[in-house]
Each structure stands twice: as C-alpha cells, then as structure tokens.
Amino acid sequence: MPQTKQGPASTGSTALGSLWKAYSEQTPERLKFIDAFLFFLMLSGVIQFAYCVLVTTYPYNAFLSGFASTVGQFVLAASLRSQVNPQNKEEFKEVSPERAFADFALGSIVLHFFVYNFLG
Amino acid sequence: MPSLAYPVPTDLSPATVKNTASLFRIITLALISGAAIASRLFSIINFESVIHEFDPWFNYRATRVLASKGFYEFWNWFDPTAWYPLGRVVGGTVYPGLMATSGVIYYILQALNLPVDIRNICVLLAPGFSALTAWATYMFTKEMKNESAGLLAAAFIGIVPGYISRSVAGSYDNEAIAIFLLMFTFYLWIKALKQGSALYGTAAAVFYFYMVAAWGGYVFITNMIPVHALVLILMGRFSHRLYVAYCSWYAIGTLASMQVPFVGFQPVSTSEHMGALGVFGLLQIVAFADLVRSHVSSQNFQKILRFGLVAIGGLGASAFVALTYSGKIAPWTGRFYSLWDTGYAKKYIPIIASVSEHQPTAWPSFFMDLQMLVFLFPAGVILCFRELRDEHLFVIVYSVMASYFAGVMVRLMLTLTPVVCVSSAIALSTLLETYINPVEPDAERDSSAPTEPQQTANGSSAQPSAATPSKKGKKAATAPAASSSAFSELVAASSGKKSYFSSPRGIFGMDTRVMVVLNTLWMLSFFVFHCTYVTSSAYSSPSVVLASQSQDGSQHIIDDFREAYYWIRQNTPEDAVVMSWWDYGYQIAGMADRPTLVDNNTWNNTHIATVGKAMSSSEENAYPILRKHDVDYVLVIFGGLIGYSGDDINKFLWMVRIAQGVWPDEIQESNYFTPRGEYRVDDAASKTMKDSLMYKMSYYRFADLFGGGQAMDRVRNQQAPKNIELDYLDEAFTSENWIVRLYQVRKEDILGRDLKSANAFEKGKKRKRSKPLSRRRAIV
C-alpha cells in the first residue's frame, strides 16, 4: 500500500481536498477509467431512483430491472476494480487481471440476461 | 529423518502416489453414490414404485402436465379443480424447479430413445440427486479441510437417515433436489470467497436461482451467506475477496430470484430478505471506507469516517426501520416468525401448528437421524474454531443456526444434517490422520524450547493453534465419542506433532494406533448398520399403502386408500366435487382425479375453516355449506377398525380450532369435550361432538360390524356409539378395512321438505299428525 503524502489537515474541507489530491495522484489511469464508469452508473441509478420516487413506480419490474442493472453493473465493476488494483495483488493470488476481466464479462452477461428477462 | 511406527514404502514416485490417490477417490465416490442410491430403494423393492406422502402427489401431477403439454402450458397452468370453486393459479403458486428438473430429464431420455415413464423419473429423482448431494458435500468439505475429510463427509451424507428420511425413492418432494442445491451453492460461495472470484460468485448466484426455483427453504441461504459475511466484517476480516464474492452473488442472485413468479418482489419487500440487502449496503460502505483509507492519513480518515460513513450507515439503518414500520417492507410471515417465537403459531395460526412436522424435535430423533455424528459434530465445530480460516467461520455459523432451527422444528433437521456430516467428517478425519500417521514424536527435540510446529510427512493439513491447555481439556470433555484420552492426544498431536510443552507428547508405538483406528472403524461400521436399519424400518414405507406383519412374519398390505380413490375415479361423474380435510386434497386430485375443496397448499385459511366448520357442525348446519359449495361427496378417514391412528377423529380438534378461528361464535372447542374436559367418543361424549358431521360419518353403521356385541374403536380404545342416523348424506362407499368412508350428499327433497323430516317419513316414523298406516294404504 503506497504511503500517503499529506500532512495532517486541520479542517474537514481540507481533509476532503487532500483525499481528492491523493486520489488523483496515486490512482493508475485504468482504475480512473473504471471509476468514471462507476460514477456514470451511480448517476444513472440515482436518476432512475429519483424518477421512481418522484413520478411513478408503476411498472415495478421495469424499475427493478433497470435499477438492479445499474447496481449489479456497479458492484461487478467495483469488483473488477479491486481485482485489478495492484495494491490488492496479495489478496487475489488466483485471479489475474485478465481472468478478472473475463469474470466481469461473464457476470455482466448473466446479469443482463436476467435484466432483460425481468424487464417484461 | 523421523522415526516411523510402521514401515512405509519409500521408493514410490510422487506421481504414482498422486495418481493412485485420485483413482481411489474416484472409486470411493462412485461407491458412495451407489450406496446412496441403493439405500433409498427399500420402498420400491418392498412395495412398488409409487409416489409417497401427500405433497409429492401434487408435484407428480404438475410434472405430468409439464411432460405432456410442455413448459409454457405448465407455466400458465390454471387448475380449476383445486380449491373448488376458486381454482388455483399453479404457475404462480409453485416452486417449479423440481418439475422442471424432472421434465428436462424426461425430455433428454426421450431424445436418447429411452422412453421412461414420467412416474419412474419422479420416483427415482430423489435417489439420483442424493448421489449428487454426496458429491457436492465432498467438494464443500474439501474446501474446509482436505480430500479425505471430503470423502468421509460424502459417505456420511450418502447414508445418514436424517437426509434419507426426505429423499427415499418415491418421495418426490422439493427437498429431493434442494439439499443438493444447498450444498452446491454453499460450495460455490466458499470457493468465491476463497479466491475472490466473480466467476464463482456468479455461479453461486445461478445455483441460488435454481435453489429459489426449487424450494421455499432458499431463505436459509439468503440469510446464511449474509450472516457469514457480517461475522467476517465484525471480526475485522473484511477483504476485497469478500466484497467481490458477496456483491457478485447478491446482485445477480437477487435479480435472478425475482424471476420465479412465486417469489416475485419478495426479495425487495419482505423482512426475510432484508438482512442480505443490509449486509450488501454495509459492504459498500466498508469497501468505500477501505478505499478512502488507502488514500489519506489516519487522522484525516478519522474525520471523514466520523462525518461521512457513520452518517450514511445510520441513515440506511433508520431507513430500514422506518420502511418496516410504515409497512413498505412486509414483516416476517407467520411461518418464519414462529421459528423465533415458538408459541406464536399455536396461539394465532393453528394451521401451521397442526402440521406434525412443525413440532419441536426430541432428543431421540437427533440420535436416530444422526447416530454417532451427533456427538462428533461439536468436536468438528471446535476443530474449526482452532483453525478459523474464513470458510471455517461459515461452518460454525451454519452449525449454530441450523442446530437452533432443528431444535425448534422437526422438519428443519434436514438443513442440519449436511453441516453435521461435514463437521463430523472434519473431526473424524483429523482423528484418523493423527493415528494413521506413522511419524513417531521426537523425544529429544521436545526437551528443547517450544519449537515451531512443522508439517508432518504425509502433509496433514492440521494447522497449529494457540489453544490453551485448559481449553484442550474442555474439548476432550465435549467429545465423548473417541475415548477421552485419545482425544486429548489428538489435540496435542494435531498441533503439528511437536509438543508445546516440556513433556514429550504424541503417539508412540503401534498399539495405540491400532486400538484407536480399530475403534473408529468399528464405530463407522456400526454407523452403517444403524443407518441401514433405520432406513429400512422407519423411513421406507409409502404412506399410501399400509403394511402390517402377521404372526408368521408374512406381510399384509392394507391398500384402502387406493381402493377408495379408484372407486371415486371410476364410479363418480368427472365433475363430482369431493370434500375432505386438506391433508388428502393432493391425493384425491392425483389418484381420484376429482375436484377438491381444499388441499395441502394451505393458501386460503378461510376456505379450510369452511371445511372445518362443515365437518364439525351438526348435519342441519353443515348441509347448506355443502350445497353452497356444490359438494357431491364427502370423504373421511376412519381408523377405528384396524387401529390406524392418523384418522380424521384424531385430527378433528384441529378442524374445530381452525374453524373457531374464523367463526368464534358458532364453533367452540370446549363444546367438544366432556364436562370433565376429556375428548371422548363413547357414550360420555358431549352432545356437540355426537351431533357433529365428522363423528356421525366416522361411526355410521360401525357398531353393526360387531353383530350386536360391544363395538370397540381400536384407536381411541373406547366403545363406539350405536344407532347413528344420517339424514342428509348417504353412504356411498366404504373401503375394505373401513379406512376410507365416502358419503354422497343428498339432493334437496323433490317435495321441498326438510331432508330430516323426509328421512323420518321414509323410515316410517310417526310424524306428529300422521295418519294411521292402514288408512294411508287404503288411499293407494
């Protein structure tokens, strides 16, 4: 695990700022790419949820499958992120980054099979 | 080179050893499968290839629809004959996994030009899947310890009566495939957790989906895995592998489970599934906190943690509480709630308490179902504690939860059995490994300071542990199976064979080894005898035919049920509605092929209470109910002649209770007892009891059998009543041993009279203002 470079910050806002700085400095490009995808999925999920809460839940299975699609894709991508993270190499001895990606692809296919089936 | 207790060949190449070992494994697994299948065939060989019990008859009927009409017809099947006049949407009220499985097997065999009857597939499905269960248990235990423990566990679960009781040939019930799916899902979960692989997580989710489609007990998995994950988090064992395994399982598995129509939106709306969702949310928070921590200093992290994460966690938890109270999340259903509050069902839902499987378990049944495994089981759990890898926590959590549930409900013995087999196999294989291991303890080195434990020659995977001596003593006490000295030896020996203490410990010489190993072998062989005996004597009788032994040992078969059902099938119109208590609903629909009012799928309590009311009220009151429901025949089971104790008079009080729950002013349980509070059927019986339809139908003409002598009811051991008259019903059929009695409901009198007075008129009884006999004849 790489050492953090920030000294102790005094206020909460600087804590967040140092977090952002440390993140952008230390994270490899690939992980940032995955993070962008994660952020997009989160936005999509939030919009769907807001629509469900504010407008209607009527085709409830459609809402659930759409929302589960974003949530499931989010956690699968987050799993991929932690599997390919060089920091976690020790933990995932049996899962190489290539295999992690194949697992991710398979998991997504299975997930979306169920999503389309449930969309009704 | 350590000294050896007995010579072992040294000139074998590792490849030879490995190949021989895997050959042995394959042969052993094949033999275990053979034993698992063969020991379930007693009922077919002794009787015939029929479906047993009650529920399997519905499964069989549904499978026949699936096999003859195809999957889509089955999926959209509306059954108008069940729950007459309501009907039942079968596709949406059934777990279709069992039928789909046997349907697929049926079509595959058809495609291979092996035209096997669907009934034989249904009958033999459970033995076939028990072989798969043995294999899945092998895989599971292999992850816990090693292959030898896996083989022992497979052998145990292959023949253990606790599992055989629900999976003999002919027992075509959901549990037949569910235990295999349970073990295989758990195996995949452990594998996913160990490797941190989304592939295994996805596979676990797919098998979880299969399990959801197969059995209502999937809720056990839905709560076991989250509890395991939660325990891991609370013990500070959070890892990214846990995150990957759990999230891939939950995200796919939950969506998949919602595809089963019977489950529907339950995974997002009921309390049983909220634990899994809560742990899912918690894992996101913990994983995010972990990510943040890797980027900032600990001081900053403290701040962020305090302000951000605690707030999110608190918000999520309070959202759950608020949603539960506002009713958005359904509370526990009665069936699950009665597991926690064990008095709940008896008080509020008599229909749950009335099922004999839902009673608490007595100790003898633990011993009968598990024999020696029941006392090896705690030893295995403690061995898991000593090594405590992530997957061992699973066995520990599973044991605790399943032991509790099996203690509350007889039926849940089934979910306990797999973990008992796994845990006992771990204990027993540790014992055997220790005592078969030829390495003698090294006396000289023991005098030196505590050394690092070293792996022994044959690679016993037992890890050293930091257990204190007092703990070891306690453990020896908990394991009365092995002789207690042997077990403390085992404890010392499993700690890497080199003692932690000044005195040399370990196993010296051949005699100890031979004694312990022979003793273990004796216990194992006795276990086999016990299992075979229990299986053949207790669990292999189809409830459709009753067998009795006569004096000379020859078997006498009482086949009244099928006699009566086939009489109905052949001698009544096809749309004749048969009313019976709900226990026989599936069998009537399956064998007699007639519409029934209620059946074993007890989804409509009021409808059952209506039947209960009709059975427990007097003829005059029951008759309108029967007519309003178009009932043509009423079927009662009566065991008074041959001493069949499971008859309707013994179930009668449950009918009364269930009816009382809906119509408290019309039916009161206390009216059916004598003034002294006894439940009697002889002359001392209460008036309400004597008037009730069930009583009259059971004992109608019974006294005539005894030719004027004393009529004895052999179940109640009381004198049966004489001179019972039925005004609204006609006896249509009574089976050979009087077990099944069928009554036809009379139509309304053509002259518009009350049926009672019409009957009295027929019998020639004098009405109050009736004319003398002679004058009436003169008119004609």
Side-chain angles (χ1 to χ4, degrees):
Chain A
M1 204 171 281
Q3 263 60 54
T4 50
K5 294 157 199 160
Q6 269 64 41
S10 49
T11 63
S13 60
T14 50
L16 279 182
S18 65
L19 170 66
W20 175 252
K21 199 168 161 230
Y23 168 77
S24 42
E25 276 172 15
Q26 292 166 11
T27 312
E29 287 300 316
R30 276 187 184 185
L31 292 191
K32 279 186 182 167
F33 179 64
I34 295 179
D35 286 339
F37 182 47
L38 288 178
F39 184 68
F40 160 73
L41 285 170
M42 207 157 73
L43 269 188
S44 155
V46 166
I47 291 169
Q48 289 183 42
F49 193 75
Y51 180 84
C52 163
V53 169
L54 298 176
V55 187
T56 176
T57 63
Y58 162 57
Y60 194 45
N61 56 340
F63 162 69
L64 275 183
S65 46
F67 192 66
S69 159
T70 54
V71 171
Q73 195 65 80
F74 180 89
V75 294
L76 285 175
S79 302
L80 175 68
R81 186 193 192 280
S82 63
Q83 281 168 325
V84 300
N85 195 339
Q87 290 177 13
N88 297 335
K89 205 151 200 170
E90 275 303 294
E91 269 192 48
F92 297 99
K93 287 196 189 78
E94 293 177 57
V95 183
S96 63
E98 290 79 13
R99 176 169 166 200
F101 186 75
D103 284 4
F104 168 74
L106 182 89
S108 306
I109 290 170
V110 173
L111 175 75
H112 281 93
F113 168 75
F114 285 122
V115 166
Y116 285 120
N117 193 33
F118 199 54
L119 213 50
Chain B
M1 185 68 193
S3 56
L4 296 178
Y6 55 90
V8 282
T10 49
D11 52 347
L12 291 175
S13 73
T16 319
V17 174
K18 207 177 145 195
N19 290 341
T20 321
S22 65
L23 176 69
F24 276 140
R25 271 202 294 279
I26 291 169
I27 293 174
T28 315
L29 272 176
L31 288 175
I32 288 171
S33 306
I37 293 173
S39 65
R40 283 164 171 81
L41 299 183
F42 282 111
S43 59
I44 291 192
I45 293 164
N46 287 345
F47 299 97
E48 60 192 293
S49 168
V50 283
I51 307 284
H52 299 183
E53 299 290 335
F54 301 110
D55 283 6
W57 272 101
F58 170 74
N59 298 334
Y60 171 52
R61 197 161 76 97
T63 312
R64 260 192 334 213
V65 170
L66 174 64
S68 59
K69 293 186 184 159
F71 193 75
Y72 286 103
E73 279 295 313
F74 168 68
W75 198 249
N76 297 320
W77 179 27
F78 178 80
D79 183 6
T81 63
W83 293 88
Y84 184 88
L86 305 170
R88 175 182 177 187
V89 187
V90 176
T93 57
V94 79
Y95 291 103
L98 182 73
M99 298 97 192
T101 307
S102 33
V104 165
I105 295 174
Y106 177 73
Y107 286 125
I108 289 175
L109 289 180
Q110 294 278 314
L112 293 175
N113 287 327
L114 289 169
V116 182
D117 183 27
I118 187 76
R119 175 173 57 89
N120 285 320
I121 292 172
C122 294
V123 166
L124 292 172
L125 189 78
F129 265 84
S130 72
L132 285 177
T133 309
W135 173 73
T137 311
Y138 164 74
M139 301 296 275
F140 181 81
T141 318
K142 204 175 81 178
E143 295 301 316
M144 294 299 153
K145 195 164 184 295
N146 52 16
E147 282 94 346
S148 22
L151 285 178
L152 263 177
F156 286 156
I157 205 159
I159 56 173
V160 70
Y163 174 42
I164 286 190
S165 65
R166 312 292 309 211
S167 66
V168 289
S171 167
Y172 181 56
D173 214 341
N174 292 331
E175 290 92 333
I177 63 171
I179 297 300
F180 161 66
L181 295 170
L182 185 85
M183 283 322 274
F184 204 67
T185 312
F186 284 158
Y187 159 70
L188 290 169
W189 157 249
I190 292 298
K191 196 89 182 161
L193 179 67
K194 264 181 151 182
Q195 293 196 357
S197 147
L199 170 71
Y200 280 102
T202 309
V206 170
F207 271 88
Y208 172 70
F209 165 62
Y210 192 4
M211 173 76 180
V212 174
W215 193 35
Y218 75 91
V219 179
F220 184 63
I221 300 185
T222 320
N223 287 299
M224 258 311 297
I225 293 179
V227 167
H228 182 213
L230 185 68
V231 167
L232 285 175
I233 296 171
L234 291 181
M235 289 178 73
R237 285 163 176 252
F238 170 79
S239 62
H240 291 279
R241 280 175 287 127
L242 175 65
Y243 179 86
V244 172
Y246 187 83
C247 291
S248 55
W249 167 74
Y250 182 77
I252 299 175
T254 306
L255 186 64
S257 68
M258 287 193 285
Q259 323 273 326
V260 179
F262 194 23
V263 175
F265 297 137
Q266 277 181 35
V268 290
S269 65
T270 59
S271 291
E272 289 94 7
H273 301 79
M274 282 304 130
L277 183 59
V279 171
F280 181 69
L282 184 68
L283 263 178
Q284 308 304 322
I285 296 172
V286 172
F288 187 67
D290 199 64
L291 177 74
V292 171
R293 190 166 54 187
S294 72
H295 284 298
V296 296
S297 68
S298 62
Q299 214 177 349
N300 279 344
F301 178 67
Q302 293 273 324
K303 261 181 224 127
I304 297 171
L305 190 73
R306 202 170 301 134
F307 291 124
L309 303 172
V310 172
I312 296 172
L315 212 68
S318 52
F320 270 129
V321 176
L323 282 173
T324 309
Y325 274 101
S326 69
K328 285 266 164 47
I329 296 175
W332 293 83
T333 57
R335 240 164 247 267
F336 289 109
Y337 190 74
S338 61
L339 288 175
W340 304 112
D341 182 357
T342 45
Y344 179 79
K346 202 154 247 164
K347 252 182 271 170
Y348 301 107
I349 326 171
I351 201 154
I352 293 180
S354 75
V355 179
S356 64
E357 285 175 334
H358 293 174
Q359 307 302 324
T361 320
W363 279 111
S365 71
F366 275 102
F367 186 74
M368 178 163 160
D369 278 358
L370 303 168
Q371 216 244 351
M372 69 164 189
L373 303 186
V374 79
F375 42 72
L376 285 175
F377 168 48
V381 174
I382 286 170
L383 282 175
C384 284
F385 262 114
R386 291 169 56 83
E387 200 178 336
L388 215 61
R389 279 181 279 146
D390 287 353
E391 60 267 27
H392 292 130
L393 274 171
F394 185 80
V395 172
I396 293 165
V397 171
Y398 185 1
S399 329
V400 172
M401 280 177 62
S403 306
Y404 171 75
F405 290 134
V408 173
M409 211 183 258
V410 177
R411 187 183 181 181
L412 295 178
M413 193 72 152
L414 187 69
T415 52
L416 176 68
T417 306
V419 74
V420 168
C421 292
V422 169
S423 167
S424 318
I426 290 174
L428 208 58
S429 85
T430 313
L431 181 82
L432 284 174
E433 266 168 18
T434 311
Y435 279 86
I436 292 178
N437 182 6
V439 180
E440 289 275 342
D442 206 346
E444 291 129 43
R445 282 178 59 179
D446 284 320
S447 55
S448 63
T451 49
E452 275 297 301
Q454 64 190 53
Q455 284 299 91
T456 49
N458 71 347
S460 151
S461 73
Q463 295 284 313
S465 84
T468 59
S470 68
K471 215 171 185 177
K472 290 174 184 176
K474 214 186 284 169
K475 182 164 135 208
T478 57
S483 68
S484 62
S485 68
F487 217 88
S488 54
E489 292 285 355
L490 152 74
V491 174
S494 69
S495 315
K497 312 299 178 292
K498 298 286 176 268
S499 102
Y500 282 84
F501 314 102
S502 51
S503 65
R505 286 188 173 220
I507 305 139
F508 294 94
M510 269 310 274
D511 46 354
T512 17
R513 290 187 164 83
V514 169
M515 261 165 57
V516 172
V517 170
L518 282 185
N519 184 41
T520 315
L521 285 181
W522 179 78
M523 286 199 324
L524 283 173
S525 51
F526 195 72
F527 175 69
V528 176
F529 279 114
H530 173 86
C531 292
T532 318
Y533 169 71
V534 169
T535 307
S536 65
S537 64
Y539 291 139
S540 294
S541 46
S543 60
V544 178
V545 290
L546 309 168
S548 66
Q549 294 257 324
S550 52
Q551 296 288 334
D552 57 346
S554 66
Q555 204 176 39
H556 181 62
I557 300 274
I558 296 166
D559 204 0
D560 280 33
F561 285 103
R562 285 192 294 184
E563 183 191 349
Y565 292 144
Y566 282 108
W567 188 90
I568 299 174
R569 193 189 187 101
Q570 291 171 346
N571 296 296
T572 63
E574 258 184 39
D575 53 353
V577 177
V578 181
M579 181 179 97
S580 72
W581 190 233
W582 60 265
D583 293 16
Y584 315 106
Y586 280 160
Q587 287 193 344
I588 293 172
M591 288 189 256
D593 194 21
R594 290 292 173 267
T596 54
L597 236 57
V598 291
D599 64 28
N600 306 43
N601 169 24
T602 52
W603 63 275
N604 187 332
N605 190 33
T606 316
H607 211 51
I608 292 177
T610 309
V611 173
K613 186 185 173 192
M615 294 288 199
S616 52
S617 34
S618 64
E619 266 189 284
E620 298 87 47
N621 295 339
Y623 186 69
I625 303 177
L626 301 181
R627 293 299 297 162
K628 275 181 197 162
H629 289 86
D630 291 347
V631 175
D632 297 304
Y633 291 92
V634 183
L635 180 144
V636 290
I637 306 294
F638 175 66
L641 185 62
I642 56 153
Y644 172 64
S645 60
D647 66 354
D648 276 346
I649 294 283
N650 280 358
K651 291 174 186 167
F652 188 42
L653 281 180
W654 287 109
M655 305 183 200
V656 174
R657 277 172 208 152
I658 290 167
Q660 186 184 7
V662 181
W663 291 281
D665 347 322
E666 294 170 60
I667 308 284
Q668 276 107 25
E669 190 183 343
S670 54
N671 291 343
Y672 294 84
F673 292 110
T674 60
R676 291 172 57 199
E678 291 167 310
Y679 180 60
R680 297 189 71 92
V681 295
D682 53 7
D683 292 336
S686 72
K687 189 178 174 304
T688 324
M689 181 75 188
K690 281 182 177 167
D691 279 345
S692 66
L693 191 67
M694 172 60 70
Y695 184 84
K696 284 187 168 180
M697 285 194 298
S698 292
Y699 291 109
Y700 184 63
R701 294 200 309 117
F702 181 60
D704 298 356
L705 267 187
F706 296 82
Q710 288 195 337
M712 275 303 284
D713 183 327
R714 290 221 193 134
V715 176
R716 265 70 52 178
N717 279 324
Q718 295 168 17
Q719 279 194 23
K722 296 174 181 177
N723 302 329
I724 287 177
E725 300 215 338
L726 283 168
D727 293 321
Y728 295 85
L729 301 170
D730 287 321
E731 185 180 7
F733 179 77
T734 294
S735 64
E736 186 187 352
N737 297 295
W738 285 54
I739 289 185
V740 185
R741 311 201 65 185
L742 189 75
Y743 292 87
Q744 188 167 21
V745 180
R746 282 190 191 166
K747 299 280 178 271
E748 271 90 1
D749 189 57
I750 31 173
L751 300 179
R753 291 171 298 181
D754 178 25
L755 274 177
K756 189 169 188 174
S757 47
N759 202 30
F761 181 76
E762 293 284 323
K763 292 246 169 76
K765 281 185 187 157
K766 279 186 181 174
R767 286 167 64 201
K768 272 171 196 155
R769 292 189 297 112
S770 67
K771 291 165 184 172
L773 209 61
S774 54
R775 273 183 61 186
R776 220 167 53 192
R777 197 173 282 158
I779 295 169
V780 175

